[in-house]
Amino acid sequence: MTDSTNVTGPAGPAGNRRRRADARANHTALLDAAARVLLRDGYAVPLDRIAHEAGVGVGTLYRNFSDRDELITAVVDRSYKLVAELARAAAESPAEPLDALAGFFAGVVDQRDRLVLPMMGGPAVTGRINPHSFEISTALQSVIQRGISAGTIRADVGAPDVMVAGAMLGQPQLPPEAWRVASRRIAAVLLDGLRARPDQRELPLSFTREEFSAALTAPEDRSARSRTARRSVSGR
């Protein structure tokens, strides 16, 4: 990446393309660095530490993001987009539904250092449901419904169950290499729990997908959640 604080370049179309490419690279580097630093050091970390991690000056950071809130919002929005891409890939996969969900879980684990999300300890955006949240839910529900129709996935699970499971896998509980091994095993256990069986027990109460998405926009309110909890019908 390039610190464009005091950079001048050649004039003309070639120089403009180079500056635009540098600006895009700096923007991406700042988002990557912010995700790493926020996950490692918390949300009150000085912004100059994020700039240093990205290899740019503080001036470059402020040209991309006017303040801390804008930066964190951008990191969270990109995180939703990354998970939406994984969910869409699962929905479009020709693999068996449980295998497609296994791919989704593996993708979340691989991308965990770039994911700053409310479900993974990140900040909730009060009063705004991220549009990618519905995209994620819809894509995953299509995979689940395909499995239900085929008789391979139990009929009383929905997208929120898979989203919570993915969030759990995306929060390492061990050092990186150990978690890479452990997460594969845990994912296999979770996938086995989604499998349809003739002797399966009924699951506890859950939310609708809409209630689940709305719950991510504000700090946890257990009393409100308990009032609205209901049985999940195919995640709807």
Side-chain angles (χ1 to χ4, degrees):
M1 75 291 292
T2 300
D3 183 358
S4 57
T5 303
N6 293 303
V7 173
T8 59
N16 289 336
R17 285 195 296 272
R18 173 61 183 275
R19 285 189 288 273
R20 286 195 294 270
D22 285 345
R24 288 193 296 270
N26 286 338
H27 189 86
T28 299
L30 283 164
L31 289 175
D32 286 342
R36 290 193 303 271
V37 173
L38 293 171
L39 290 171
R40 184 183 68 219
D41 301 333
Y43 297 98
V45 65
L47 294 184
D48 60 355
R49 191 180 303 173
I50 293 174
H52 178 77
E53 180 94 3
V56 303
V58 175
T60 298
L61 186 151
Y62 279 109
R63 270 194 296 278
N64 282 269
F65 308 101
S66 61
D67 56 25
R68 179 186 304 275
D69 287 345
E70 185 176 325
L71 173 59
I72 291 178
T73 296
V75 173
V76 172
D77 284 346
R78 189 186 69 160
S79 300
Y80 272 109
K81 183 176 180 180
L82 290 170
V83 177
E85 290 171 356
L86 295 173
R88 188 163 55 248
E92 295 171 355
S93 172
E96 293 295 320
L98 283 170
D99 291 335
L101 293 178
F104 172 76
F105 287 155
V108 170
V109 173
D110 288 342
Q111 294 278 5
R112 64 187 182 277
D113 291 338
R114 305 175 75 195
L115 300 180
V116 178
L117 291 164
M119 289 178 62
M120 300 171 69
V125 182
T126 304
R128 183 174 72 92
I129 298 176
N130 190 288
H132 290 299
S133 177
F134 288 115
E135 183 181 355
I136 295 165
S137 179
T138 300
L140 292 176
Q141 190 60 42
S142 72
V143 181
I144 292 167
Q145 192 58 52
R146 191 155 53 90
I148 292 172
S149 298
T152 58
I153 293 180
R154 56 188 301 156
D156 55 352
V157 300
D161 301 307
V162 174
M163 292 166 73
V164 171
M168 292 166 58
L169 291 168
Q171 298 182 80
Q173 305 298 314
L174 296 169
E177 287 308 312
W179 186 245
R180 195 176 302 278
V181 174
S183 65
R184 288 197 294 266
R185 184 177 177 87
I186 295 167
V189 172
L190 293 170
L191 289 163
D192 194 56
L194 296 176
R195 196 180 305 276
R197 291 184 173 83
D199 59 345
Q200 66 192 24
R201 295 183 179 182
E202 186 177 8
L203 291 175
L205 302 180
S206 185
F207 292 108
T208 67
R209 282 188 290 165
E210 291 76 12
E211 290 168 339
F212 180 76
S213 294
L216 300 179
T217 64
E220 183 176 9
D221 181 347
R222 296 188 185 276
S223 61
R225 291 187 181 191
S226 64
R227 287 194 300 270
T228 58
R230 63 188 66 177
R231 296 189 184 279
S232 173
V233 181
S234 297
R236 291 194 300 272

